[in-house]
Amino acid sequence: MSILVNEETRLLVQGITGREGSFHAERCMAYGTNLVAGVTPGKGGQTFEGRVPIFDSVSEAADATGANVSLIFVPPPFAADAILEAADAEIPLAVCITEGVPVRDAAMVMRYLEGKPTRLLGPNCPGLITPGAKAKVGIMPGAIHAPGKVGVVSRSGTLTYEAVGQLTGLGVGQSTCVGIGGDPVSGTTFVDVLAMFNDDPETEAIVMIGEIGGTKEQEAAAFIAAHVRKPVAALIVGQTAPPGRRMGHAGAVITGKAALASEKMRALEEAGCRVIPTPADIGATAAAMLA
Amino acid sequence: MSILVNEETRLLVQGITGREGSFHAERCMAYGTNLVAGVTPGKGGQTFEGRVPIFDSVSEAADATGANVSLIFVPPPFAADAILEAADAEIPLAVCITEGVPVRDAAMVMRYLEGKPTRLLGPNCPGLITPGAKAKVGIMPGAIHAPGKVGVVSRSGTLTYEAVGQLTGLGVGQSTCVGIGGDPVSGTTFVDVLAMFNDDPETEAIVMIGEIGGTKEQEAAAFIAAHVRKPVAALIVGQTAPPGRRMGHAGAVITGKAALASEKMRALEEAGCRVIPTPADIGATAAAMLA
Amino acid sequence: MKLHEYQAKELLAAYGAPVPENYVASSGAEAADAARKLGGEAVVKAQVHAGGRGKAGGVKVAASPEEAAQIAESLIGSTLVTLQTGPAGAPVHKVLVERTMEIERELYLSVATDGSRRRPVVIASASGGMEIEEVAQTEPEKVLTEPVDPVIGFRAFQGRRLAARLGLPAAQTRPFSALVEACCRAYDEKDATMIEINPLVLTAGGELLALDAKISLDDDALFRHPAEAGLRDASQDDPLEAQAAEAGIAYVKLDGDIGCMVNGAGLAMATMDIVQFAGAKPANFLDVGGGAGEEKISRAILLMLSDPNVEKALVNIFGGILRCDVAARGVVDAYGKADRRPPLVARMLGTNADEGKEVLARSGLNARMADTLQEAAAAIKE
Amino acid sequence: MKLHEYQAKELLAAYGAPVPENYVASSGAEAADAARKLGGEAVVKAQVHAGGRGKAGGVKVAASPEEAAQIAESLIGSTLVTLQTGPAGAPVHKVLVERTMEIERELYLSVATDGSRRRPVVIASASGGMEIEEVAQTEPEKVLTEPVDPVIGFRAFQGRRLAARLGLPAAQTRPFSALVEACCRAYDEKDATMIEINPLVLTAGGELLALDAKISLDDDALFRHPAEAGLRDASQDDPLEAQAAEAGIAYVKLDGDIGCMVNGAGLAMATMDIVQFAGAKPANFLDVGGGAGEEKISRAILLMLSDPNVEKALVNIFGGILRCDVAARGVVDAYGKADRRPPLVARMLGTNADEGKEVLARSGLNARMADTLQEAAAAIKE
């Protein structure tokens, strides 16, 4: 009844003794997530909240606790190394919350992960949550979620909470909510998550939240048209944003018109999605789709 | 009745206008190999031997001719680039004859090829030949080969010819003969070739020629013990070689005693191979194994 | 972070990319000196962080050192408005004085990161000059791309392939390949997000030269490039945006009258959309970012209010890392300090939403609370 | 290509690896000067391309500049025989004069390429000093390895992990990690095939220092390292082997009397095996390599014959790229030029074998032809 995280999730937090790391590790635990280990180099042997063992390295932590998901809170200059360390320990899922990771580092890490067994979510993402399994691996407010059958995938952080808030408010629960992050280069894509929701027997409908810029929504649309058999409601925000000031043409040449909200909405509509007209209509559109 | 090259082989030669490239391209063609294209940057539009088109780049050549094997004769400083170019064009098999490729280049290329559809044979190898399909992709003297059912795999160049010469002399033909090359870092390994021979319905027995140094023969022995269902005769040369002068301990720490001929022969014997006692006994041992 | 042309050319030249002989000048006298070194005739180019300078009168040919001085004096201190600067324009503090040449062909070359491919790509076209975006739309086959592997870099065979497809003369294959490699190395080692050479020219003498050069660097990577971080020219940015950036706040000034303060870029865009759909006009985009504290919220509000066009304010906070009560205290603090207090519509959800609403209610501010986006939009429209 | 300790330390220091203060000296006077700069006491170390110098008397502590001069004079010009030089030893032309220190712990650290993993590996052990190979055999768990990804390099987390497993004090984690990273960068950028720091010491003052350093560079990559190529000290090589290497011939002198010339390393080893199994002793290993011409074959034969121990010669050619007739002409040419003509057994197969045999037959040389390896061995034994 979920994807990526569930009752089997054994969570490790990299950077567990930092300000953000400790705050959110505690919140994840409070939500019900099975937090089995923390990693902070030099603090191996200590414990977190009196009961979660802290290790010097991810490989030690994984060996000792069987951790299978790592949530990463290390500062931007060290984020790439932290992801590589999780990959080296063959952790199946690494979730990098860190904002401000250099694009070059993200590209290097993603190239390195090709053909490796580790999936990266993020960087610069809110993480993911499966309310039905009480598995929260991220920084989202747990209380707004409710177990159910709608899969949510989004490039955004707080806008995902908005979407979830509207869904829960209308009594529409979620199977898993995944924030893929907004950085130009990131790990898991819309397409990856859509494919998993499509194959998840307990997800009956999908809500996708996109933004202007890039071509990720078009790739999602192409995948939906070709493969997704479940109803998808999609929102694109930034419809009314004025074109930003910019220098040079390279970005525009790469994405062409695809970066525009109108182009993304057209592509999603043609792919058979219900296009959510305004950000206020996320819940209602999803509810109507399920009815 | 073969592995890797056969009647379907459409050969491209990178560096076809060089001294070695043109000499061997002609020999491969004369043997019966279907040479479809050559590549030499700046000579696109010319032809080789009046009928084989030459292209500026591998991707052009592959697009135009459907080449599926590339034989590489470019000088050592440019060999890595040539292999990457073949990989970029998604040529399934690249055979690099070039001797003297820096080890770092080989390591970089092999790391790059992880997860890519291109297999590399070599560098510093004689290539491979399937006599029954008149497919010669390498620098071996074609005339000494005969079609048959013994697969030959070797780290060496001329010693492979010696082995084949003995086999053919005793009326024992070969399915495919593969020279994997003697460099410390190379593409296709003994294990890769043994696995292919094991799965090839027309290969009935295998002759493997190893050398002192490294641990490749032990890996082969472990694979043979676990997977190979066909008889294997194995020779290790360098049994009487004195230990070379060397500096430092790093190499010895990596390979331990495994580099010694005696250790390799023991491992192969324990894996169920017939160990060929001296280099003069290759043909006889193989013939006895088939009888 | 954007570099000026002269900084970009210096950086590229350090990597071995060929650029025309040039000198930076901050005065007419310096420009005349430079022109003299170049043999008298020279091109004088205004240094601003934007393209489209030629059409805007920012690039002029001087036939003599005296004329170079004249042009430089007219440009330095002026504000240049180009298609890429927006109506406010950008101030000119320096000019680049560069040798003239006979141009045989103009090409387009750039490196930028393609999010879909998750790696840099080299983009090149035989159709150089200003209209590359139009070429990309109408004749996409004329825009060539070569992805750059993030770990092994741009390879010689790609340079050869690109040179052949651009129809460059054989003698230019190696120089061109080396130039692209230099750009890719600079892009990688300096954490660039864009390098653009437009035009890349082939001179009548058969020389390849980067005639113009634009470079943007990744702000998130400046910590490992202290030298380049020092190249920042804040005068080129909108002063409010520059202030905001310093405080870690994403702020873009717009021309409406509804000041918006939101946490999260996606929700901020959604908020702007909602405002516009309700028939009102946002005065700005403002994302206070993740993990803001009371002080940062307060600064964001003051920043928003410093725009005299703001007549109403909309605060939309979905508490996650940021707690709503913290946000509310920041808002109250800012309204206490501000010299004017436009009516406020506030929406608070998520972590400590009730506490946040309570803080606002007790503050005595003229704050209208909204629960949903619809309500917020309706309230702002009233 | 091997570097001397002083060259290796200079290279590592350029990458930021900490080495003890040291000076190279070519005379007693220079050594005394160096010791004076170091405060009087110093270690004087013979510079040869081999380990095991300490046990062989090549490393001595001088209590004063005068003693340093004395030791240097006794070493310079001498020949040092260590376990790694072989019985011929290696000539000492320079000494390294280095500061002494109080050593707390000795570690072992090296980088080398692991053919099985197809990448460099860092090898480290808390058991430093001379006996690392024994440790590897008897207590392999004490030898730690970290593979180095060929494209992204050695990572900080690996350094931390290694430091922890070596039991280094927490304060040394970062310096150790940085040192290993420096070695790996040097290994990569200079195309090394081995970097070994043995011992790596932790001083009483808590400092990590590379007390000895050995570096071998990839001969095949010297074309891109002209500076390092100039560091070659040919005096450390066997003169015949050095000559051979220059001609692109792999030659190793052995102590038997059967001169062997073969094309291909594998066939050359097989030939040596066959000779020994027949009860004779090879005078050398000689692989003339792929694609040799007549002149190279001739040089190879002359090289082989220049060893006075050679009483019979065995030529074993399997023609591929190399045509047998070309090889035969090379042999005839060399026998024509040589001042002595030991009896020859020749075996020729493959490309143009018949033509090759014919060339030999018509040459008038005392050449016995063999068709198989057995026949060749039997003929050589007669």
Side-chain angles (χ1 to χ4, degrees), chain C residues 323-378:
Chain C
R323 282 154 36 196
C324 289
D325 56 328
V326 170
R329 273 194 293 275
V331 172
V332 173
D333 181 69
Y335 263 73
K337 290 171 178 163
D339 47 11
R340 60 198 196 85
R341 297 176 180 78
L344 176 70
V345 176
R347 178 171 179 257
M348 296 199 162
L349 273 96
T351 314
N352 292 10
D354 292 338
E355 291 87 333
K357 290 180 200 166
E358 175 117 7
V359 169
L360 286 185
R362 279 192 295 187
S363 69
L365 287 184
N366 173 15
R368 170 98 176 258
M369 299 307 299
D371 276 338
T372 65
L373 283 177
Q374 285 100 327
E375 284 175 34

Side-chain angles (χ1 to χ4, degrees), chain B residues 105 111 158 162 187 215 219, chain D residues 116 118 149 224 263 347:
Chain B
D105 290 6
R111 174 65 183 86
T158 49
E162 175 72 39
T215 59
E219 288 148 29
Chain D
S116 292
R118 290 179 173 136
D149 187 279
R224 55 189 171 207
N263 67 325
R347 177 170 179 259

Side-chain angles (χ1 to χ4, degrees), chain A residues 136-177:
Chain A
K136 169 169 124 79
V137 178
I139 60 174
M140 63 290 288
I144 61 172
H145 296 82
K149 298 180 171 174
V150 171
V152 178
V153 57
S154 168
R155 267 169 83 175
S156 172
T158 47
L159 181 56
T160 316
Y161 315 160
E162 175 72 39
V164 170
Q166 290 187 26
L167 290 172
T168 301
L170 291 173
V172 178
Q174 306 92 43
S175 54
T176 303
C177 304

Side-chain angles (χ1 to χ4, degrees), chain D residues 22-42:
Chain D
N22 64 52
Y23 303 92
V24 191
S26 305
S27 68
E30 284 178 21
D33 275 356
R36 230 164 268 127
K37 286 184 208 157
L38 294 168
E41 194 182 274

Side-chain angles (χ1 to χ4, degrees), chain B residues 76-81 83-84 96 98 100-114 120-124 180 182-188 216, chain C residues 152 155, chain D residues 113-115 117-120 150-151 188 191 218 220-221 224:
Chain B
F78 312 112
D81 196 59
I83 300 165
L84 294 173
C96 184
T98 310
V101 175
V103 177
R104 185 181 70 156
D105 290 6
M108 177 272 283
V109 165
M110 286 314 300
R111 174 65 183 86
Y112 178 83
L113 290 180
E114 280 177 26
L120 174 66
L121 182 66
N124 189 20
I180 61 172
D183 277 4
V185 173
S186 53
T188 299
K216 295 193 167 90
Chain C
I152 68 168
R155 309 297 307 186
Chain D
T113 294
D114 181 346
R117 289 188 174 98
R118 290 179 173 136
R119 61 194 56 194
V151 292
D188 181 55
D191 278 287
D218 187 350
D220 288 333
R224 55 189 171 207

Side-chain angles (χ1 to χ4, degrees), chain A residues 1-23:
Chain A
M1 72 166 244
S2 61
I3 63 168
L4 291 169
V5 296
N6 52 39
E7 294 85 354
E8 314 289 311
T9 293
R10 299 177 66 77
L11 181 65
L12 172 160
V13 172
Q14 285 177 257
I16 198 166
T17 58
R19 199 172 58 85
E20 281 200 44
S22 59
F23 177 79

Side-chain angles (χ1 to χ4, degrees), chain B residues 4-80:
Chain B
L4 290 169
V5 296
N6 53 37
E7 294 84 355
E8 313 290 310
T9 294
R10 298 176 67 78
L11 181 65
L12 172 159
V13 171
Q14 284 178 258
I16 198 166
T17 58
R19 200 172 57 86
E20 282 200 43
S22 59
F23 177 79
H24 288 292
E26 196 277 318
R27 290 294 176 102
C28 290
M29 226 175 10
Y31 189 77
T33 317
N34 185 15
L35 177 67
V36 298
V39 167
T40 295
K43 303 212 171 166
Q46 303 183 9
T47 55
F48 176 71
E49 297 274 309
R51 56 194 180 91
V52 178
I54 299 178
F55 299 87
D56 283 321
S57 70
V58 176
S59 53
E60 272 179 277
D63 287 350
T65 67
N68 54 19
V69 177
S70 179
L71 183 59
I72 298 173
F73 285 102
V74 309
F78 312 112

Side-chain angles (χ1 to χ4, degrees), chain C residues 5-84:
Chain C
E5 178 192 6
Y6 75 92
Q7 297 165 332
K9 283 183 169 169
E10 201 177 315
L11 196 154
L12 289 176
Y15 279 87
V19 301
E21 186 183 353
N22 64 52
Y23 303 93
V24 191
S26 305
S27 68
E30 284 178 22
D33 275 356
R36 229 165 268 126
K37 285 185 208 156
L38 294 168
E41 195 182 274
V43 185
V44 182
K45 302 158 96 174
Q47 298 298 288
V48 292
H49 282 178
R53 293 173 303 171
K55 286 187 182 162
V59 178
K60 287 179 177 157
V61 179
S64 65
E66 294 68 35
E67 201 184 339
Q70 226 168 42
I71 296 169
E73 275 160 18
S74 73
L75 286 173
I76 294 169
S78 76
T79 295
L80 197 69
V81 180
T82 83
L83 280 171
Q84 292 188 3

